[in-house]
């Protein structure tokens, strides 16, 4: 099967220890090539745990994860993981950050230069290649991190609340950039957020998680053109549905905490 396939995956942190934490439970999810899936769920419900497993940084306690039919056992440039805080190397220029992976895999300098030009332009940083990360705004740093991930031509982009640290206006622009990039790269995206609006603006499919241990509570397919007007009656209906689903889970988590 092509694409990402998560089958019956459970993750327990500290298994066998005094305080085991079940993070995700019996989770099954497929992401097709070029599909944009957004995981929406309350905080602490196991979203990041699942992304680490898909990235190959952690092993599931049970279940299997495959990409294009092959088991995922370790990280690979074909599956890039992007975090909330862009982790650029502060001593390198933006351009050298973007082409870092290409240098490691011995891509010729002329090709690296061409790739950097193209990618920096794509993320709207055409004039920032010679700057250092500390000279950039948070949004620009996050775009540079995107360009760096794209340089490796990933087939899957795993994004863990990538825009959570940005102000609302920057965030909306970044979502636009991401949609452009997604369309030109044809990569699959699995993006984690707790923002309903972000999910609605971006997703082909929203997968709503339960509170911990994370399981799939609902899936909402949004077969709608982008950019989407989140204030249209149709989108407001979707937002209400997501809100109700999340509210149930937050309520449940609170009750469980009170009992514990
Ligand atoms: N490395 C770890 N070791 C132990 N527990 C962890 C680890 N990472 C996450 N957890 C726990 O697993 C649960 C799910 O965390 P996480 O996947 O980060 O949730 P989310 O990303 O949805 O907020 C939390 O209770 C968290 O404390
Ligand atoms: Mg998280």
């Amino acid at each position: 099967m092509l694409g990402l396939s998560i089958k019956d995956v459970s993750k327990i942190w500290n298994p066998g220890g005094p305080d085991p934490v079940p993070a995700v439970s019996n989770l099954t999810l497929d992401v097709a090539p070029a599909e944009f899936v957004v995981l929406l769920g309350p905080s602490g419900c196991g979203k990041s745990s699942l992304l680490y497993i898909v990235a190959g940084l952690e092993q599931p306690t049970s279940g299997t994860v495959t990409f294009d039919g092959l088991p995922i056992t370790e990280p690979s440039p074909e599956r890039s993981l992007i975090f909330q805080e862009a982790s650029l190397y502060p001593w390198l220029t933006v351009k050298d950050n973007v082409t870092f992976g290409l240098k490691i895999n011995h891509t010729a300098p002329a090709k690296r230069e061409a790739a950097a030009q193209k990618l920096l332009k794509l993320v709207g940083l055409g004039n920032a290649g010679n700057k250092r990360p500390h000279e950039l705004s948070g949004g620009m740093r996050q775009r540079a991190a995107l360009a760096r991930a794209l340089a490796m031509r990933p087939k899957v982009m795993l994004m863990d609340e990538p825009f959570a640290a940005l102000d609302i206006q920057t965030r909306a622009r970044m979502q636009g950039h991401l949609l452009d990039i997604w369309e030109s790269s044809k990569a699959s995206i699995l993006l984690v957020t707790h923002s309903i609006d972000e999910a609605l603006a971006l997703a082909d499919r929203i997968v709503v998680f339960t509170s911990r241990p994370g399981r799939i509570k609902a899936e909402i397919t949004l077969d709608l053109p982008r950019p989407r007007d989140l204030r249209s009656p149709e989108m407001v209906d979707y937002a209400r549905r997501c809100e109700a689903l999340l509210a149930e889970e937050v309520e449940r988590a609170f009750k469980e905490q009170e009992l514990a």
Side-chain angles (χ1 to χ4, degrees):
M1 202 208 96
L2 284 183
L4 187 64
S5 181
I6 300 166
K7 279 214 166 49
D8 212 18
V9 161
S10 298
K11 177 71 180 175
I12 301 173
W13 293 106
N14 313 322
D19 198 10
V21 181
V24 291
S25 170
N26 302 96
L27 212 133
T28 295
L29 175 67
D30 289 338
V31 182
E35 189 182 15
F36 198 142
V37 172
V38 173
L39 300 183
L40 179 65
S43 85
C45 73
K47 304 182 296 297
S48 296
S49 301
L50 182 67
L51 277 202
Y52 298 155
I53 291 170
V54 175
L57 294 167
E58 288 287 339
Q59 294 301 310
T61 308
S62 60
T64 56
V65 188
T66 59
F67 183 67
D68 287 353
L70 300 172
I72 291 174
T73 55
E74 58 183 7
S76 151
E78 132 182 312
R79 285 169 276 115
S80 67
L81 180 59
I82 293 169
F83 299 95
Q84 177 172 330
E85 299 291 346
S87 51
L88 300 170
Y89 298 120
W91 62 90
L92 294 179
T93 63
V94 168
K95 193 200 287 177
D96 289 344
N97 265 288
V98 169
T99 55
F100 186 80
L102 297 177
K103 195 169 176 184
I104 298 282
N105 72 17
H106 308 295
T107 304
K111 271 196 165 170
R112 293 205 305 260
E113 180 67 29
Q117 296 297 342
K118 183 171 151 243
L119 290 165
L120 287 171
K121 207 164 155 220
L122 181 66
V123 299
L125 291 177
N127 296 321
N130 293 321
K131 291 198 187 318
R132 308 265 163 186
H134 73 267
E135 297 176 83
L136 306 183
S137 68
M140 291 166 88
R141 278 202 292 274
Q142 204 56 319
R143 278 185 270 156
L146 263 177
R148 184 178 57 185
L150 288 167
M152 306 311 286
R153 299 175 172 277
K155 292 186 183 163
V156 185
M157 296 174 70
L158 306 167
M159 308 185 79
D160 196 356
E161 308 207 27
F163 309 139
L166 306 176
D167 63 81
I168 296 253
Q169 287 79 15
T170 308
R171 192 166 177 154
R173 293 200 57 181
M174 289 297 295
Q175 291 166 357
H177 275 295
L178 179 59
L179 288 173
D180 292 342
I181 286 165
W182 170 60
E183 266 157 30
S184 62
S185 73
K186 309 259 183 340
S188 311
I189 298 185
L190 185 55
L191 180 145
V192 161
T193 186
H194 55 247
S195 160
I196 292 173
D197 282 356
E198 186 154 279
L200 291 173
L202 297 175
D204 289 325
R205 185 154 53 106
I206 300 176
V207 176
V208 184
F209 268 32
T210 64
S211 56
R212 195 173 65 78
R215 281 156 291 127
I216 294 177
K217 181 177 174 77
E219 293 196 29
I220 298 172
T221 299
L222 297 168
D223 195 3
L224 301 163
R226 302 173 181 87
R228 296 170 179 158
D229 175 6
L230 297 189
R231 296 186 181 185
S232 72
E234 190 182 18
M235 294 309 284
V236 170
D237 274 352
Y238 278 119
R240 289 218 174 92
R241 252 168 80 188
C242 291
E243 249 164 48
L245 289 164
L246 281 187
E248 277 173 27
E249 290 309 309
V250 172
E251 183 70 11
R252 203 162 63 85
F254 268 117
K255 281 215 176 104
E256 281 169 12
Q257 272 167 16
E258 274 170 14
L259 290 175

